[in-house]
Amino acid sequence: MPEKLRLGIFKFASCDGCQLSLLNAEEELLELAELVEFAHFPEASSRIDSGPYDLVLIEGSISTPEDLDRIQQIRRQTDTLVTIGACATAGGIQALRNGANHDEFMKLVYPHPEYLQSLATSTPISNHVSVDFELRGCPVDTGQLLQIISDKLHHRKFSVPDHSVCRDCKLQNIVCVSVARGIPCLGPLTQAGCGAICPRFHRGCYGCFGPCHQTNTDGLTDWLIKDGHASAELIPLFLNVNAEAPEFARTGAQLKRQDSAEGESDE
Ligand code: SF4
Ligand code: SF4
């Protein structure tokens, strides 16, 4: 019998939701256990084996001085490193502190911030070490996560669809929430992977899978504003879990400037 793939799963600043996507696989996990040695997966087992690993999955962003050292050590111990989820690929919701006053944020949240070691920014793993593949989502899709492990097992190139959520709506005959209900939706800009779950339940997409290939953010925001939406209404769609993804960061900043200008002209 061939040797099992040694898998390590590591957590940085995150909510554990992406690791739970793997635990949610349930039946497939039993099959996977025949082929994969879960050498480091503290979310699931107290048995922790040291590296080297064949594949490491990283959840979470770099947000403390300790993280800076730990991610370098992990990178040295693995052949392949894949980041999973919006925290690891784009800094996550905690990246909303980037560009804000970090000390003020700390004081607001913690009674004794002087005991905490925290960086002023939350950054994606790829800012610090080389990453072989980024799997998007908040949380990641269980099927895509299993696909990545299977790709590694079978020596295939990692790949997931990079078309938009909007196209998935069309393929599933989901009525457009923007056109039919006037709800602002980032489906045309957002990478597929969730099965268009929000529009299916009459909600607009807020981009949790991050920008898709070839986005036209200016075209969509111009259209939404002409359709009667205020800049302030659109800002939280761009500045949330993928706020540090460059396309969303640029558009969010642009909308903030527009919103301030609108406020000044109203005075
Ligand atoms: S990407 Fe979302 S689900 Fe995954 S760890 Fe971060 S906050 Fe949790
Ligand atoms: S529709 Fe958009 S916000 Fe909703 S799960 Fe999919 S990518 Fe995330």
Side-chain angles (χ1 to χ4, degrees), residues 1 29 39 47 63 89 100 123 129 144 205 227 266:
M1 188 173 166
L29 270 182
R47 189 193 127 191
S63 71
T89 60
T123 43
V129 293
Q144 289 196 340
C205 169
D227 201 40
D266 287 347

Side-chain angles (χ1 to χ4, degrees), residues 162-213:
D162 63 1
H163 62 263
S164 70
V165 168
C166 199
R167 187 172 137 194
D168 275 358
C169 283
K170 308 296 174 288
L171 290 170
Q172 295 178 50
N173 288 326
I174 296 170
V175 175
C176 178
V177 293
S178 278
V179 173
R181 292 171 179 257
I183 299 170
C185 178
L186 294 199
L189 309 174
T190 301
Q191 182 169 303
C194 64
I197 191 165
C198 296
R200 195 169 345 127
F201 290 97
H202 314 304
R203 289 181 46 173
C205 169
Y206 53 91
C208 82
F209 272 64
C212 63
H213 187 53

Side-chain angles (χ1 to χ4, degrees), residues 2-8 32 35-37 52-57 75 77-82 132-133 143-160:
E3 276 194 22
K4 288 183 174 182
L5 180 92
R6 294 201 88 222
L7 177 65
L32 208 56
L35 305 166
V36 172
E37 177 193 352
Y53 310 100
D54 300 311
L55 172 64
V56 156
L57 304 176
R75 177 67 263 193
Q77 293 180 64
T78 183
D79 175 49
T80 305
L81 187 150
V82 172
D132 296 287
F133 191 74
Q144 289 196 340
L145 192 48
L146 292 173
Q147 175 70 47
I148 291 298
I149 297 171
S150 168
D151 287 344
K152 177 65 184 173
L153 274 167
H154 296 99
H155 309 287
R156 288 188 300 250
K157 188 178 168 206
F158 296 126
S159 89
V160 293

